[in-house]
Structure formats: C-alpha cells, structure tokens
Amino acid sequence: MPDNFRLSEIGSGPSSGWRQDRGEAALSDVHSSVAVPKGRWRRFAAFIGPGYMVAVGYMDPGNWATSLAGGSRFGYTLLFVALLSNIMAIVLQSLCARLAIGSGRDLAQACRDAFPRWVSIPLWAAAEVAIIATDIAEVIGTAIGLNLLFGVPLELGVLLTSLDVFLILWLQHKGFRWLEAFVIALLGVITFSFCVQILLAHPDWGGVLRGFFPTTEVLRNPEMLYLALGILGATVMPHNLYLHSAIVQTRAYGDTVAEKRAALTYSTLDSTIALMFALLINAAILILAAASFHGAGHTELAEIDDAHKLLGPLLGSAIAPTLFAVALLCCGLNSTVTATLAGQAVMEGFLQIRLKPWIRRLVTRAIAIVPAAAVTLLYGPRATGELLILTQVVLSLQLTFAVVPLVLFTCDRRKMGPLVAPRWLGITAWAIAAIIMALNAKLVLDFLG
C-alpha cells in the first residue's frame, strides 16, 4: 500500500455554482465553492448543510419500512437499535469529515489511490450495489407517496420517479447552497408532520424511555435481529460515507493545520446535530407505529400504505394520513438529491469517470426501477414493504466494505498527518466495525441455517 495518497487536482479555487464553464459538473468542481467568513458564529453557519444532506439518508423510505415493521411487531423495544445505530453513524460521519479535511480526498478517491485495482474495483462494485439498493427504496417510497396523495397508480408512480432528474438538474444550476436549502426545507416539513402525528398518537412515554435501554432479546430472536439489521442498514448507510467525505470539501476552509482543525470541529458539529435530528425522526416513526399499531393488535404491519389507511381511524383524525403521505413524499424527494450526489462521488472517485449528472441519474434510476416495477407488477403493492426491508438489509451487508477502509485510512498517520484520528476514536471506530461485521455474520448464518 503506498505511503501517501496520490494527490490529484481537486479544483481550481472558488466557483460561483455547481456548473463550470469547462463542461458538465463533477463534485470536484465545487470543492471550495462555499466561502467561509471570519467570526466564530458566521464560520459555523457556513459549515451548516452537508450534515443535513447526509441526515436525509437516515430517514429515507427504507427507514420507514423497517421502523414501521419494528414498531408494529415489537413495540418500543427496537428504539435502542435506532439509538445505537445513530451513535455509530455520528462516529463514522465524523471520520468522513476527518478524512476529507485531513487528506483532501473523499472515501472513493482514497480507496482508488491506496488499494490495487483488484481491491478497489470490488469496493466500487459494492458501493454501486448499495446505491442501487438505496435507489430502489426511493423509487418505491416516492411512488407510494404519489399514490397516497394524488391517487397515482403505483406502477405508473414507479415510472414517474425517473423524472425527478429535472428537479436535480435545476438545483444544480442554481448552486450547491440551493441543494442544501432544498433539503433542509423538506426536512422541516417532515419534522412538522411527525410532531403532529406523535401528539395525536399519545404514546406511552414510560415505554418509550424503556425502549432506549438495551435488551438481549434482539440476539435471541431471529426475526427481531433481521429487523434490527434492517434498521442498522437504513441508518448507517454506505453511500452516506462516500457522500459526506465529498461534499464537506465544498467549504473553502483554508490550507493551514489550524484552519483545517477548525473546519473539522465545525463539520463534526454540523453532522452530529443533523444526525441527532435524524434520530428524532426515526424514533418518531417507530414510536408512531408502536403507539398506533402495536397497541391496537396490528403486529404484522409491514406495508406503508396499510399504515396510511389505519392512521386515521386509530388516531381519530383525518389530517394524520395526509401528513404521513406528505412526509413520505418529502423523504423520497430528499433522498433523490443525496443519492445522485453519492453516485457521482463513487463513480468519479473510484473510476475517474465523469458522466453528466442526468445520465448518471437515469442509469441508476433505470436499474432501480426494474426490480421495483417487477415486484409491483408480479406481486402487487403488498410485496413492496418486504422489498423495502430487504434493501435495507442489503445495505447493512454492504457496510463493512465502506467502514473498514474509512477507519483504516483515518487511523493512519502517514495519510492523515496531524489530523489522524486519536487513539480513543480509532478504538471506538474499530469496535463499531467489529459489531457491524459480527451482526452481519450472524444474520448470514441464521439464513443459511
């Protein structure tokens, strides 16, 4: 393994927006495109954004399926898994920021530069599988949202999701901060929707508190472990590790060690606050399912549209199903933006191939539409919930291939210099990697047994 990354050109200074005069935009074109002013609070404000774009991946439609199924079947028990997953995510996303700021490389670039091709190409393939699994969840979630709100048939909704590329292209023309503002605005709508629904559900707050404490039942019950791994895969998502390490570099934080340390502090705060916000949303989905469905005996709920139908009668309010559908559609649209950016980072970083954003989006969306459309046409809407949960388990199984290189790089002083991860952080990160690998190994053994 080389002692140092091969540092290639990562941009030629600040730019005015996403698209450059020399052709179609790459993520490297927007490196240092967001100015960082002087002053502590103004400086911190400049770093707000990437964390929330990453947080979108922690509340996408795949999370809904796993959280709804977990809450309806096991009540508040799996809240601890959501909390543990979020803690893991905070640590791993902080390492992404550290890698980007300390080395000037995103995770995909670092893998390409540090490993031989027989290692980096399979890692690229694993990352693409993770992005396709994410896209399947977005396709299904957005199609269900369109169906619930506007009555669009699910089969047609699956096909219509390919048109979201025009939304992304428009936002890309406006500039990177516009992308961030769009994401944050939709997060606000999602938050409002769930706050109202939680108030209407009247959960058992004592049960909620107990749900955040660990239980060994997760390991003893294969069905609970399957859902727990689905929550883990839906929370700590592989593509977010590639995405965060790329978009953190949109800030013009400077070249000195002191400036980089300050940038790392602000970036870590941004992602930590955003992920705590994502935990509230994920916990809200699970709490809503536990309070509304588990307590009423609907313990086999796995379909999002079923949850939508039951919310009104169970909560005694006509507005609850509408808010549920609005939040779902917002989640699908938000995930579209971040998955596209992650796909760009992965392809450009691993293969040094720069596709036009709309081509990249249509290719990955077309691949995702095939299984989603096939399941919908062959088995009907009833099977979409199971497909959503399966995609999240696939993401969990892909995590190892992103987490291990990330921890390996950020703990290597030769690559990170003064921003190498401190010993305590490295030990914590390796422990997280070991937990993920052990849980995935148990899932595979249970499946084979």
Side-chain angles (χ1 to χ4, degrees):
M1 183 182 298
D3 287 345
N4 296 293
F5 292 118
R6 297 190 299 273
L7 296 177
S8 59
E9 183 180 357
I10 58 173
S12 55
S15 64
S16 58
W18 178 275
R19 193 173 297 280
Q20 302 293 299
D21 292 338
R22 57 191 173 90
E24 289 292 335
L27 282 181
S28 59
D29 292 335
V30 292
H31 285 178
S32 303
S33 64
V34 177
V36 178
K38 295 181 179 179
R40 178 177 299 178
W41 290 107
R42 293 181 64 199
R43 191 174 180 86
F44 173 58
F47 281 89
I48 294 175
Y52 290 90
M53 297 188 74
V54 169
V56 165
Y58 295 82
M59 58 183 83
D60 76 338
N63 290 70
W64 287 55
T66 52
S67 294
L68 285 171
S72 63
R73 293 181 196 178
F74 304 111
Y76 304 109
T77 305
L78 291 180
L79 280 172
F80 169 72
V81 177
L83 175 61
L84 179 63
S85 300
N86 206 72
I87 293 172
M88 291 181 177
I90 288 172
V91 173
L92 294 176
Q93 298 298 163
S94 73
L95 290 183
C96 291
R98 184 176 292 272
L99 174 66
I101 295 169
S103 72
R105 315 298 283 158
D106 62 48
L107 181 56
Q109 292 170 334
C111 289
R112 183 196 70 219
D113 290 349
F115 298 132
R117 286 183 63 83
W118 63 269
V119 175
S120 64
I121 294 301
L123 288 178
W124 164 74
E128 292 289 0
V129 168
I131 290 172
I132 290 170
T134 302
D135 226 28
I136 290 173
E138 294 165 14
V139 166
I140 294 174
T142 304
I144 293 174
L146 290 171
N147 175 261
L148 297 180
L149 278 176
F150 306 113
V152 177
L154 203 58
E155 297 82 0
L156 178 59
V158 166
L159 299 177
L160 288 176
T161 57
S162 60
L163 300 179
D164 60 19
V165 66
F166 296 108
L167 169 66
I168 296 175
L169 286 175
W170 179 73
L171 289 170
Q172 286 178 347
H173 276 291
K174 299 288 287 184
F176 200 82
R177 286 299 251 177
W178 279 85
L179 281 168
E180 294 173 345
F182 174 80
V183 166
I184 292 173
L186 290 187
L187 289 177
V189 175
I190 296 166
T191 303
F192 172 78
S193 299
F194 275 108
C195 284
V196 174
Q197 291 175 82
I198 290 293
L199 291 175
L200 292 172
H202 301 293
D204 173 14
W205 292 109
V208 170
L209 184 61
R210 290 190 295 272
F212 282 107
F213 287 88
T215 174
T216 58
E217 188 181 356
V218 174
L219 298 177
R220 297 195 307 268
N221 186 332
E223 184 182 6
M224 190 178 289
L225 177 63
Y226 182 79
L227 280 176
L229 278 176
I231 292 174
L232 178 64
T235 304
V236 189
M237 302 183 77
H239 79 281
N240 267 341
L241 305 180
Y242 295 101
L243 173 65
H244 196 196
S245 59
I247 61 177
V248 160
Q249 297 180 69
T250 57
R251 271 51 184 176
Y253 44 75
D255 298 319
T256 68
V257 173
E259 288 172 326
K260 289 183 177 182
R261 288 191 186 279
L264 178 58
T265 299
Y266 292 129
S267 294
T268 302
L269 280 173
D270 170 52
S271 62
T272 300
I273 294 171
L275 290 176
M276 292 304 297
F277 174 79
L279 173 62
L280 293 177
I281 300 298
N282 283 333
I285 299 172
L286 197 147
I287 291 169
L288 180 65
S292 302
F293 309 128
H294 183 76
H298 299 284
T299 57
E300 296 299 321
L301 183 75
E303 306 297 338
I304 292 177
D305 58 339
D306 284 344
H308 175 264
K309 294 173 185 174
L310 290 171
L311 275 176
L314 289 175
L315 300 185
S317 173
I319 193 64
T322 301
L323 291 173
F324 182 87
V326 167
L328 176 63
L329 186 58
C330 289
C331 282
L333 291 173
N334 255 351
S335 299
T336 286
V337 174
T338 56
T340 299
L341 294 176
Q344 281 185 263
V346 165
M347 182 165 284
E348 292 168 11
F350 275 108
L351 304 182
Q352 294 181 296
I353 294 177
R354 290 178 50 167
L355 289 180
K356 295 181 179 181
W358 66 272
I359 294 178
R360 165 74 207 193
R361 183 59 183 165
L362 286 180
V363 168
T364 55
R365 181 48 61 96
I367 295 173
I369 281 176
V370 171
V375 168
T376 303
L377 291 172
L378 293 176
Y379 302 103
R382 308 294 306 175
T384 56
E386 294 179 9
L387 181 59
L388 275 175
I389 295 173
L390 176 61
T391 62
Q392 305 313 295
V393 175
V394 169
L395 288 174
S396 178
L397 294 173
Q398 298 297 323
L399 259 180
T400 300
F401 302 106
V403 170
V404 170
L406 174 66
V407 180
L408 190 67
F409 297 147
T410 50
C411 292
D412 189 341
R413 185 173 295 276
R414 296 172 301 172
K415 289 179 169 55
M416 297 299 298
L419 289 185
V420 65
R423 184 177 297 274
W424 69 266
L425 181 57
I427 292 173
T428 303
W430 279 119
I432 289 172
I435 290 172
I436 291 171
M437 288 187 285
L439 289 174
N440 285 331
K442 188 176 189 316
L443 176 68
V444 172
L445 291 174
D446 287 344
F447 178 77
L448 294 177

mmCIF file with all atom_site columns, all heavy atoms in Angstrom, residues 411-431:
data_model
loop_
_atom_site.group_PDB
_atom_site.id
_atom_site.type_symbol
_atom_site.label_atom_id
_atom_site.label_alt_id
_atom_site.label_comp_id
_atom_site.label_asym_id
_atom_site.label_entity_id
_atom_site.label_seq_id
_atom_site.pdbx_PDB_ins_code
_atom_site.Cartn_x
_atom_site.Cartn_y
_atom_site.Cartn_z
_atom_site.occupancy
_atom_site.B_iso_or_equiv
_atom_site.pdbx_formal_charge
_atom_site.auth_seq_id
_atom_site.auth_comp_id
_atom_site.auth_asym_id
_atom_site.auth_atom_id
_atom_site.pdbx_PDB_model_num
ATOM 1   N N   . CYS A 1 411 ? -7.049  6.253  10.666 1.00 0.00 ? 411 CYS A N   1
ATOM 2   C CA  . CYS A 1 411 ? -6.156  5.883  11.772 1.00 0.00 ? 411 CYS A CA  1
ATOM 3   C C   . CYS A 1 411 ? -4.696  5.798  11.330 1.00 0.00 ? 411 CYS A C   1
ATOM 4   O O   . CYS A 1 411 ? -3.825  5.447  12.131 1.00 0.00 ? 411 CYS A O   1
ATOM 5   C CB  . CYS A 1 411 ? -6.584  4.542  12.379 1.00 0.00 ? 411 CYS A CB  1
ATOM 6   S SG  . CYS A 1 411 ? -8.155  4.598  13.258 1.00 0.00 ? 411 CYS A SG  1
ATOM 7   N N   . ASP A 1 412 ? -4.426  6.105  10.070 1.00 0.00 ? 412 ASP A N   1
ATOM 8   C CA  . ASP A 1 412 ? -3.078  6.008  9.509  1.00 0.00 ? 412 ASP A CA  1
ATOM 9   C C   . ASP A 1 412 ? -2.429  7.395  9.477  1.00 0.00 ? 412 ASP A C   1
ATOM 10  O O   . ASP A 1 412 ? -2.817  8.254  8.688  1.00 0.00 ? 412 ASP A O   1
ATOM 11  C CB  . ASP A 1 412 ? -3.162  5.423  8.104  1.00 0.00 ? 412 ASP A CB  1
ATOM 12  C CG  . ASP A 1 412 ? -1.792  5.089  7.523  1.00 0.00 ? 412 ASP A CG  1
ATOM 13  O OD1 . ASP A 1 412 ? -0.782  5.620  8.028  1.00 0.00 ? 412 ASP A OD1 1
ATOM 14  O OD2 . ASP A 1 412 ? -1.735  4.293  6.572  1.00 0.00 ? 412 ASP A OD2 1
ATOM 15  N N   . ARG A 1 413 ? -1.433  7.601  10.330 1.00 0.00 ? 413 ARG A N   1
ATOM 16  C CA  . ARG A 1 413 ? -0.783  8.910  10.416 1.00 0.00 ? 413 ARG A CA  1
ATOM 17  C C   . ARG A 1 413 ? -0.087  9.287  9.116  1.00 0.00 ? 413 ARG A C   1
ATOM 18  O O   . ARG A 1 413 ? 0.029   10.465 8.775  1.00 0.00 ? 413 ARG A O   1
ATOM 19  C CB  . ARG A 1 413 ? 0.214   8.925  11.572 1.00 0.00 ? 413 ARG A CB  1
ATOM 20  C CG  . ARG A 1 413 ? 0.862   10.288 11.818 1.00 0.00 ? 413 ARG A CG  1
ATOM 21  C CD  . ARG A 1 413 ? 1.700   10.290 13.077 1.00 0.00 ? 413 ARG A CD  1
ATOM 22  N NE  . ARG A 1 413 ? 0.879   10.099 14.255 1.00 0.00 ? 413 ARG A NE  1
ATOM 23  C CZ  . ARG A 1 413 ? 0.237   11.085 14.887 1.00 0.00 ? 413 ARG A CZ  1
ATOM 24  N NH1 . ARG A 1 413 ? 0.332   12.329 14.413 1.00 0.00 ? 413 ARG A NH1 1
ATOM 25  N NH2 . ARG A 1 413 ? -0.478  10.833 15.950 1.00 0.00 ? 413 ARG A NH2 1
ATOM 26  N N   . ARG A 1 414 ? 0.398   8.304  8.362  1.00 0.00 ? 414 ARG A N   1
ATOM 27  C CA  . ARG A 1 414 ? 1.081   8.618  7.104  1.00 0.00 ? 414 ARG A CA  1
ATOM 28  C C   . ARG A 1 414 ? 0.143   9.280  6.104  1.00 0.00 ? 414 ARG A C   1
ATOM 29  O O   . ARG A 1 414 ? 0.575   10.084 5.278  1.00 0.00 ? 414 ARG A O   1
ATOM 30  C CB  . ARG A 1 414 ? 1.640   7.335  6.491  1.00 0.00 ? 414 ARG A CB  1
ATOM 31  C CG  . ARG A 1 414 ? 2.726   6.650  7.320  1.00 0.00 ? 414 ARG A CG  1
ATOM 32  C CD  . ARG A 1 414 ? 3.070   5.303  6.721  1.00 0.00 ? 414 ARG A CD  1
ATOM 33  N NE  . ARG A 1 414 ? 1.897   4.434  6.668  1.00 0.00 ? 414 ARG A NE  1
ATOM 34  C CZ  . ARG A 1 414 ? 1.887   3.251  6.041  1.00 0.00 ? 414 ARG A CZ  1
ATOM 35  N NH1 . ARG A 1 414 ? 2.972   2.827  5.413  1.00 0.00 ? 414 ARG A NH1 1
ATOM 36  N NH2 . ARG A 1 414 ? 0.796   2.507  6.042  1.00 0.00 ? 414 ARG A NH2 1
ATOM 37  N N   . LYS A 1 415 ? -1.125  8.948  6.198  1.00 0.00 ? 415 LYS A N   1
ATOM 38  C CA  . LYS A 1 415 ? -2.093  9.518  5.262  1.00 0.00 ? 415 LYS A CA  1
ATOM 39  C C   . LYS A 1 415 ? -2.789  10.754 5.815  1.00 0.00 ? 415 LYS A C   1
ATOM 40  O O   . LYS A 1 415 ? -3.175  11.641 5.060  1.00 0.00 ? 415 LYS A O   1
ATOM 41  C CB  . LYS A 1 415 ? -3.128  8.459  4.880  1.00 0.00 ? 415 LYS A CB  1
ATOM 42  C CG  . LYS A 1 415 ? -2.565  7.372  3.990  1.00 0.00 ? 415 LYS A CG  1
ATOM 43  C CD  . LYS A 1 415 ? -3.624  6.349  3.668  1.00 0.00 ? 415 LYS A CD  1
ATOM 44  C CE  . LYS A 1 415 ? -3.159  5.415  2.570  1.00 0.00 ? 415 LYS A CE  1
ATOM 45  N NZ  . LYS A 1 415 ? -1.883  4.759  2.854  1.00 0.00 ? 415 LYS A NZ  1
ATOM 46  N N   . MET A 1 416 ? -2.957  10.815 7.125  1.00 0.00 ? 416 MET A N   1
ATOM 47  C CA  . MET A 1 416 ? -3.735  11.889 7.728  1.00 0.00 ? 416 MET A CA  1
ATOM 48  C C   . MET A 1 416 ? -2.878  12.998 8.325  1.00 0.00 ? 416 MET A C   1
ATOM 49  O O   . MET A 1 416 ? -3.382  14.091 8.569  1.00 0.00 ? 416 MET A O   1
ATOM 50  C CB  . MET A 1 416 ? -4.654  11.311 8.813  1.00 0.00 ? 416 MET A CB  1
ATOM 51  C CG  . MET A 1 416 ? -5.684  10.326 8.304  1.00 0.00 ? 416 MET A CG  1
ATOM 52  S SD  . MET A 1 416 ? -6.825  11.050 7.116  1.00 0.00 ? 416 MET A SD  1
ATOM 53  C CE  . MET A 1 416 ? -7.594  12.302 8.132  1.00 0.00 ? 416 MET A CE  1
ATOM 54  N N   . GLY A 1 417 ? -1.610  12.713 8.600  1.00 0.00 ? 417 GLY A N   1
ATOM 55  C CA  . GLY A 1 417 ? -0.757  13.743 9.199  1.00 0.00 ? 417 GLY A CA  1
ATOM 56  C C   . GLY A 1 417 ? -1.279  14.159 10.564 1.00 0.00 ? 417 GLY A C   1
ATOM 57  O O   . GLY A 1 417 ? -1.708  13.331 11.369 1.00 0.00 ? 417 GLY A O   1
ATOM 58  N N   . PRO A 1 418 ? -1.293  15.460 10.857 1.00 0.00 ? 418 PRO A N   1
ATOM 59  C CA  . PRO A 1 418 ? -1.717  15.932 12.183 1.00 0.00 ? 418 PRO A CA  1
ATOM 60  C C   . PRO A 1 418 ? -3.192  15.704 12.480 1.00 0.00 ? 418 PRO A C   1
ATOM 61  O O   . PRO A 1 418 ? -3.607  15.793 13.635 1.00 0.00 ? 418 PRO A O   1
ATOM 62  C CB  . PRO A 1 418 ? -1.390  17.428 12.149 1.00 0.00 ? 418 PRO A CB  1
ATOM 63  C CG  . PRO A 1 418 ? -1.313  17.789 10.698 1.00 0.00 ? 418 PRO A CG  1
ATOM 64  C CD  . PRO A 1 418 ? -0.804  16.569 10.000 1.00 0.00 ? 418 PRO A CD  1
ATOM 65  N N   . LEU A 1 419 ? -4.007  15.410 11.465 1.00 0.00 ? 419 LEU A N   1
ATOM 66  C CA  . LEU A 1 419 ? -5.434  15.187 11.693 1.00 0.00 ? 419 LEU A CA  1
ATOM 67  C C   . LEU A 1 419 ? -5.782  13.704 11.800 1.00 0.00 ? 419 LEU A C   1
ATOM 68  O O   . LEU A 1 419 ? -6.945  13.328 11.661 1.00 0.00 ? 419 LEU A O   1
ATOM 69  C CB  . LEU A 1 419 ? -6.259  15.837 10.584 1.00 0.00 ? 419 LEU A CB  1
ATOM 70  C CG  . LEU A 1 419 ? -6.314  17.369 10.594 1.00 0.00 ? 419 LEU A CG  1
ATOM 71  C CD1 . LEU A 1 419 ? -7.263  17.886 9.532  1.00 0.00 ? 419 LEU A CD1 1
ATOM 72  C CD2 . LEU A 1 419 ? -6.722  17.899 11.949 1.00 0.00 ? 419 LEU A CD2 1
ATOM 73  N N   . VAL A 1 420 ? -4.782  12.872 12.069 1.00 0.00 ? 420 VAL A N   1
ATOM 74  C CA  . VAL A 1 420 ? -5.050  11.459 12.276 1.00 0.00 ? 420 VAL A CA  1
ATOM 75  C C   . VAL A 1 420 ? -6.007  11.285 13.456 1.00 0.00 ? 420 VAL A C   1
ATOM 76  O O   . VAL A 1 420 ? -6.000  12.073 14.405 1.00 0.00 ? 420 VAL A O   1
ATOM 77  C CB  . VAL A 1 420 ? -3.729  10.696 12.530 1.00 0.00 ? 420 VAL A CB  1
ATOM 78  C CG1 . VAL A 1 420 ? -3.068  11.151 13.826 1.00 0.00 ? 420 VAL A CG1 1
ATOM 79  C CG2 . VAL A 1 420 ? -3.965  9.192  12.547 1.00 0.00 ? 420 VAL A CG2 1
ATOM 80  N N   . ALA A 1 421 ? -6.866  10.289 13.386 1.00 0.00 ? 421 ALA A N   1
ATOM 81  C CA  . ALA A 1 421 ? -7.827  10.051 14.464 1.00 0.00 ? 421 ALA A CA  1
ATOM 82  C C   . ALA A 1 421 ? -7.095  9.725  15.764 1.00 0.00 ? 421 ALA A C   1
ATOM 83  O O   . ALA A 1 421 ? -6.167  8.910  15.756 1.00 0.00 ? 421 ALA A O   1
ATOM 84  C CB  . ALA A 1 421 ? -8.759  8.900  14.095 1.00 0.00 ? 421 ALA A CB  1
ATOM 85  N N   . PRO A 1 422 ? -7.477  10.345 16.879 1.00 0.00 ? 422 PRO A N   1
ATOM 86  C CA  . PRO A 1 422 ? -6.855  9.999  18.160 1.00 0.00 ? 422 PRO A CA  1
ATOM 87  C C   . PRO A 1 422 ? -7.128  8.538  18.516 1.00 0.00 ? 422 PRO A C   1
ATOM 88  O O   . PRO A 1 422 ? -8.070  7.927  18.000 1.00 0.00 ? 422 PRO A O   1
ATOM 89  C CB  . PRO A 1 422 ? -7.511  10.961 19.147 1.00 0.00 ? 422 PRO A CB  1
ATOM 90  C CG  . PRO A 1 422 ? -8.765  11.429 18.482 1.00 0.00 ? 422 PRO A CG  1
ATOM 91  C CD  . PRO A 1 422 ? -8.503  11.380 17.012 1.00 0.00 ? 422 PRO A CD  1
ATOM 92  N N   . ARG A 1 423 ? -6.306  8.002  19.420 1.00 0.00 ? 423 ARG A N   1
ATOM 93  C CA  . ARG A 1 423 ? -6.377  6.577  19.731 1.00 0.00 ? 423 ARG A CA  1
ATOM 94  C C   . ARG A 1 423 ? -7.783  6.160  20.190 1.00 0.00 ? 423 ARG A C   1
ATOM 95  O O   . ARG A 1 423 ? -8.311  5.138  19.773 1.00 0.00 ? 423 ARG A O   1
ATOM 96  C CB  . ARG A 1 423 ? -5.338  6.228  20.795 1.00 0.00 ? 423 ARG A CB  1
ATOM 97  C CG  . ARG A 1 423 ? -5.269  4.721  21.110 1.00 0.00 ? 423 ARG A CG  1
ATOM 98  C CD  . ARG A 1 423 ? -4.179  4.452  22.123 1.00 0.00 ? 423 ARG A CD  1
ATOM 99  N NE  . ARG A 1 423 ? -2.876  4.817  21.601 1.00 0.00 ? 423 ARG A NE  1
ATOM 100 C CZ  . ARG A 1 423 ? -2.117  4.005  20.869 1.00 0.00 ? 423 ARG A CZ  1
ATOM 101 N NH1 . ARG A 1 423 ? -2.552  2.799  20.569 1.00 0.00 ? 423 ARG A NH1 1
ATOM 102 N NH2 . ARG A 1 423 ? -0.948  4.407  20.453 1.00 0.00 ? 423 ARG A NH2 1
ATOM 103 N N   . TRP A 1 424 ? -8.407  6.971  21.074 1.00 0.00 ? 424 TRP A N   1
ATOM 104 C CA  . TRP A 1 424 ? -9.724  6.600  21.598 1.00 0.00 ? 424 TRP A CA  1
ATOM 105 C C   . TRP A 1 424 ? -10.759 6.522  20.487 1.00 0.00 ? 424 TRP A C   1
ATOM 106 O O   . TRP A 1 424 ? -11.635 5.638  20.488 1.00 0.00 ? 424 TRP A O   1
ATOM 107 C CB  . TRP A 1 424 ? -10.173 7.587  22.677 1.00 0.00 ? 424 TRP A CB  1
ATOM 108 C CG  . TRP A 1 424 ? -10.495 8.971  22.156 1.00 0.00 ? 424 TRP A CG  1
ATOM 109 C CD1 . TRP A 1 424 ? -9.651  10.043 22.092 1.00 0.00 ? 424 TRP A CD1 1
ATOM 110 C CD2 . TRP A 1 424 ? -11.745 9.417  21.614 1.00 0.00 ? 424 TRP A CD2 1
ATOM 111 N NE1 . TRP A 1 424 ? -10.295 11.139 21.542 1.00 0.00 ? 424 TRP A NE1 1
ATOM 112 C CE2 . TRP A 1 424 ? -11.578 10.777 21.245 1.00 0.00 ? 424 TRP A CE2 1
ATOM 113 C CE3 . TRP A 1 424 ? -12.981 8.800  21.414 1.00 0.00 ? 424 TRP A CE3 1
ATOM 114 C CZ2 . TRP A 1 424 ? -12.597 11.534 20.686 1.00 0.00 ? 424 TRP A CZ2 1
ATOM 115 C CZ3 . TRP A 1 424 ? -14.008 9.552  20.844 1.00 0.00 ? 424 TRP A CZ3 1
ATOM 116 C CH2 . TRP A 1 424 ? -13.819 10.904 20.493 1.00 0.00 ? 424 TRP A CH2 1
ATOM 117 N N   . LEU A 1 425 ? -10.646 7.438  19.516 1.00 0.00 ? 425 LEU A N   1
ATOM 118 C CA  . LEU A 1 425 ? -11.600 7.439  18.410 1.00 0.00 ? 425 LEU A CA  1
ATOM 119 C C   . LEU A 1 425 ? -11.358 6.243  17.501 1.00 0.00 ? 425 LEU A C   1
ATOM 120 O O   . LEU A 1 425 ? -12.312 5.610  17.019 1.00 0.00 ? 425 LEU A O   1
ATOM 121 C CB  . LEU A 1 425 ? -11.487 8.749  17.625 1.00 0.00 ? 425 LEU A CB  1
ATOM 122 C CG  . LEU A 1 425 ? -12.440 8.933  16.436 1.00 0.00 ? 425 LEU A CG  1
ATOM 123 C CD1 . LEU A 1 425 ? -13.889 8.807  16.882 1.00 0.00 ? 425 LEU A CD1 1
ATOM 124 C CD2 . LEU A 1 425 ? -12.195 10.287 15.760 1.00 0.00 ? 425 LEU A CD2 1
ATOM 125 N N   . GLY A 1 426 ? -10.084 5.913  17.276 1.00 0.00 ? 426 GLY A N   1
ATOM 126 C CA  . GLY A 1 426 ? -9.767  4.750  16.456 1.00 0.00 ? 426 GLY A CA  1
ATOM 127 C C   . GLY A 1 426 ? -10.281 3.459  17.074 1.00 0.00 ? 426 GLY A C   1
ATOM 128 O O   . GLY A 1 426 ? -10.849 2.603  16.375 1.00 0.00 ? 426 GLY A O   1
ATOM 129 N N   . ILE A 1 427 ? -10.098 3.308  18.389 1.00 0.00 ? 427 ILE A N   1
ATOM 130 C CA  . ILE A 1 427 ? -10.586 2.108  19.075 1.00 0.00 ? 427 ILE A CA  1
ATOM 131 C C   . ILE A 1 427 ? -12.111 2.016  18.977 1.00 0.00 ? 427 ILE A C   1
ATOM 132 O O   . ILE A 1 427 ? -12.676 0.951  18.705 1.00 0.00 ? 427 ILE A O   1
ATOM 133 C CB  . ILE A 1 427 ? -10.139 2.122  20.547 1.00 0.00 ? 427 ILE A CB  1
ATOM 134 C CG1 . ILE A 1 427 ? -8.607  1.959  20.630 1.00 0.00 ? 427 ILE A CG1 1
ATOM 135 C CG2 . ILE A 1 427 ? -10.827 1.017  21.335 1.00 0.00 ? 427 ILE A CG2 1
ATOM 136 C CD1 . ILE A 1 427 ? -8.049  2.131  22.029 1.00 0.00 ? 427 ILE A CD1 1
ATOM 137 N N   . THR A 1 428 ? -12.773 3.154  19.180 1.00 0.00 ? 428 THR A N   1
ATOM 138 C CA  . THR A 1 428 ? -14.239 3.182  19.072 1.00 0.00 ? 428 THR A CA  1
ATOM 139 C C   . THR A 1 428 ? -14.693 2.807  17.665 1.00 0.00 ? 428 THR A C   1
ATOM 140 O O   . THR A 1 428 ? -15.643 2.020  17.488 1.00 0.00 ? 428 THR A O   1
ATOM 141 C CB  . THR A 1 428 ? -14.771 4.580  19.432 1.00 0.00 ? 428 THR A CB  1
ATOM 142 O OG1 . THR A 1 428 ? -14.348 4.935  20.748 1.00 0.00 ? 428 THR A OG1 1
ATOM 143 C CG2 . THR A 1 428 ? -16.292 4.620  19.355 1.00 0.00 ? 428 THR A CG2 1
ATOM 144 N N   . ALA A 1 429 ? -14.015 3.345  16.659 1.00 0.00 ? 429 ALA A N   1
ATOM 145 C CA  . ALA A 1 429 ? -14.395 3.076  15.274 1.00 0.00 ? 429 ALA A CA  1
ATOM 146 C C   . ALA A 1 429 ? -14.179 1.609  14.913 1.00 0.00 ? 429 ALA A C   1
ATOM 147 O O   . ALA A 1 429 ? -15.024 0.989  14.244 1.00 0.00 ? 429 ALA A O   1
ATOM 148 C CB  . ALA A 1 429 ? -13.589 3.972  14.336 1.00 0.00 ? 429 ALA A CB  1
ATOM 149 N N   . TRP A 1 430 ? -13.071 1.026  15.358 1.00 0.00 ? 430 TRP A N   1
ATOM 150 C CA  . TRP A 1 430 ? -12.834 -0.399 15.082 1.00 0.00 ? 430 TRP A CA  1
ATOM 151 C C   . TRP A 1 430 ? -13.861 -1.271 15.800 1.00 0.00 ? 430 TRP A C   1
ATOM 152 O O   . TRP A 1 430 ? -14.273 -2.318 15.290 1.00 0.00 ? 430 TRP A O   1
ATOM 153 C CB  . TRP A 1 430 ? -11.415 -0.795 15.477 1.00 0.00 ? 430 TRP A CB  1
ATOM 154 C CG  . TRP A 1 430 ? -10.387 -0.428 14.452 1.00 0.00 ? 430 TRP A CG  1
ATOM 155 C CD1 . TRP A 1 430 ? -9.320  0.406  14.603 1.00 0.00 ? 430 TRP A CD1 1
ATOM 156 C CD2 . TRP A 1 430 ? -10.324 -0.900 13.089 1.00 0.00 ? 430 TRP A CD2 1
ATOM 157 N NE1 . TRP A 1 430 ? -8.597  0.503  13.440 1.00 0.00 ? 430 TRP A NE1 1
ATOM 158 C CE2 . TRP A 1 430 ? -9.192  -0.293 12.488 1.00 0.00 ? 430 TRP A CE2 1
ATOM 159 C CE3 . TRP A 1 430 ? -11.108 -1.757 12.332 1.00 0.00 ? 430 TRP A CE3 1
ATOM 160 C CZ2 . TRP A 1 430 ? -8.829  -0.533 11.164 1.00 0.00 ? 430 TRP A CZ2 1
ATOM 161 C CZ3 . TRP A 1 430 ? -10.754 -1.992 11.005 1.00 0.00 ? 430 TRP A CZ3 1
ATOM 162 C CH2 . TRP A 1 430 ? -9.628  -1.392 10.435 1.00 0.00 ? 430 TRP A CH2 1
ATOM 163 N N   . ALA A 1 431 ? -14.262 -0.857 17.003 1.00 0.00 ? 431 ALA A N   1
ATOM 164 C CA  . ALA A 1 431 ? -15.293 -1.605 17.726 1.00 0.00 ? 431 ALA A CA  1
ATOM 165 C C   . ALA A 1 431 ? -16.615 -1.571 16.960 1.00 0.00 ? 431 ALA A C   1
ATOM 166 O O   . ALA A 1 431 ? -17.326 -2.594 16.869 1.00 0.00 ? 431 ALA A O   1
ATOM 167 C CB  . ALA A 1 431 ? -15.477 -1.024 19.128 1.00 0.00 ? 431 ALA A CB  1
#
